[in-house]
Amino acid sequence: MIWAYPDIKLILLFSGVFALLYFFYITRYWIINRRLKVQKQRLFTKLTLRTLYFVLFLIAFAGPSIGNSFKEIQEEGKDIFIAVDLSQSMVATDILPNRLSRIQFELKELLKSFPSDRIGLIIFSTEAFMQLPLTYDQAVLNLYIDGLNIGLVPNLGTDLTTPLKMALDKFEKDESQEVKSKAVILISDGEHFGDDLDEVADQMQENGIRVFSLGVGSEKGGEMPRGNGLVMDPNTGQPALTQLNRDPLQYLASETGGEYFEISDQAKEMGGLISALSNMKGGVSNTRMVETSSNKYFYFLLAALALALVDMILPVKTIKL
């Protein structure tokens, strides 16, 4: 017998309460016995009956499982590339402490929700670079996320097509025989200065790769630190502002069957992104047989209820007048 849901403290508590109440019950009859004649044999019968069905209730509550069986378990997994924009605008301070620092924190929380999925890391600005291929090793992923900074890529603008083309190429060249759902998490403020997005969106859709866009920033924009100063607008001589541009991010998400989410001091939609990724049906990555047991609490509960019903309907008289 296997106890499926053992809670020894709670069982002992119930047993103690039952013993205490029954002690008062017996004491009451002992006092009555001084004036009335108590049928001790019948009192013992009632005590035995009630103790029996109370014990059966406790056994049912413990969740006994009897017998073993084997069940096939299918392990599902996904392949996800995280593409992080590391252009100069990602250190803007419209999100405290800055956009990139906030994303580093959020990505670590996201990883905790996908321990059985392969995740890779791509960084980009005008060019894309593979930081980490698809891996199950979340410790390594966290190290690479900690090391993200805008000095890792050329800072000449942002081209949203470059990380998507790289992810597409890596998915196509993947030698794994496992059939999995594929997705790209595209993290950027949406400032796009590259090629037209239509072609890459069509290619992603044709290959069943969904883009989940995460817009980082605010409509009012923020200043961009550089060295000991700020990035200046050459036209006005004032600090340059970078604003969130949702349009290209929303377009890529909608064209590939993904969704758009946003991170700012007002919008905190990382939970929505995690839910959307979790709802993706993962491909079967492995199957295994596990030994299981069947919970038989119902039989003990049924027996206890039957005895309790007998106790109520056919009471055993313990006092003889």
Side-chain angles (χ1 to χ4, degrees), residues 20-270:
L20 182 63
L21 293 176
Y22 223 86
F23 172 77
F24 286 117
Y25 171 79
I26 295 174
T27 303
R28 173 174 173 267
Y29 273 97
W30 179 262
I31 295 172
I32 293 174
N33 188 44
R34 295 180 179 181
R35 296 185 179 181
L36 301 175
K37 187 176 181 180
V38 176
Q39 302 295 315
K40 295 180 180 179
Q41 183 63 36
R42 294 183 178 181
L43 179 61
F44 177 77
T45 302
K46 184 183 285 277
L47 176 62
T48 302
L49 179 64
R50 292 185 176 178
T51 301
L52 180 59
Y53 67 70
F54 182 77
V55 170
L56 289 172
F57 275 128
L58 288 180
I59 294 175
F61 178 78
S65 298
I66 303 172
N68 296 320
S69 62
F70 289 91
K71 182 178 181 181
E72 185 180 60
I73 300 296
Q74 293 184 339
E75 296 179 351
E76 294 186 352
K78 312 176 190 69
D79 283 346
I80 303 170
F81 272 114
I82 300 173
V84 183
D85 183 356
L86 292 183
S87 60
Q88 183 70 42
S89 59
M90 289 298 288
V91 294
T93 55
D94 53 346
I95 301 178
L96 296 177
N98 62 49
R99 295 175 179 177
L100 181 56
S101 296
R102 177 65 176 276
I103 284 303
Q104 287 173 299
F105 171 78
E106 298 288 356
L107 284 179
K108 289 184 178 181
E109 294 301 307
L110 179 142
L111 292 181
K112 296 176 183 177
S113 300
F114 302 98
S116 61
D117 299 316
R118 291 199 305 172
I119 300 177
L121 182 63
I122 298 172
I123 57 176
F124 71 96
S125 57
T126 50
E127 300 178 58
F129 301 89
M130 178 61 64
Q131 280 290 92
L132 188 65
L134 292 168
T135 179
Y136 291 106
D137 193 337
Q138 294 206 354
V140 174
L141 273 165
N142 278 300
L143 286 175
Y144 275 92
I145 290 171
D146 282 334
L148 293 177
N149 65 84
I150 62 172
L152 295 174
V153 296
N155 270 287
L156 302 173
T158 305
D159 184 352
L160 297 176
T161 64
T162 57
L164 299 182
K165 290 178 180 178
M166 175 169 284
L168 179 62
D169 180 64
K170 296 300 180 182
F171 279 136
E172 290 178 342
K173 293 180 179 179
D174 183 22
E175 297 180 355
S176 172
Q177 300 300 312
E178 300 172 356
V179 179
K180 296 187 177 183
S181 295
K182 301 178 177 63
V184 177
I185 303 173
L186 182 62
I187 303 173
S188 176
D189 53 29
E191 293 186 342
H192 174 62
F193 304 101
D195 298 332
D196 187 60
L197 298 174
D198 292 338
E199 181 181 353
V200 69
D202 290 340
Q203 291 176 339
M204 302 292 280
Q205 184 182 34
E206 289 172 3
N207 287 272
I209 304 170
R210 300 169 66 179
V211 176
F212 293 87
S213 301
L214 185 63
V216 187
S218 62
E219 291 182 351
K220 68 177 183 179
E223 298 174 343
M224 295 172 284
R226 176 183 287 170
N228 294 325
L230 299 172
V231 176
M232 306 301 291
D233 187 334
N235 298 321
T236 63
Q238 299 296 318
L241 293 178
T242 173
Q243 298 172 310
L244 172 64
N245 181 14
R246 300 182 180 90
D247 293 342
L249 298 173
Q250 291 175 333
Y251 173 78
L252 287 167
S254 63
E255 289 297 305
T256 59
E259 295 182 53
Y260 171 79
F261 302 93
E262 203 165 292
I263 289 292
S264 69
D265 286 340
Q266 291 74 39
K268 301 176 182 179
E269 300 180 357
M270 181 58 77

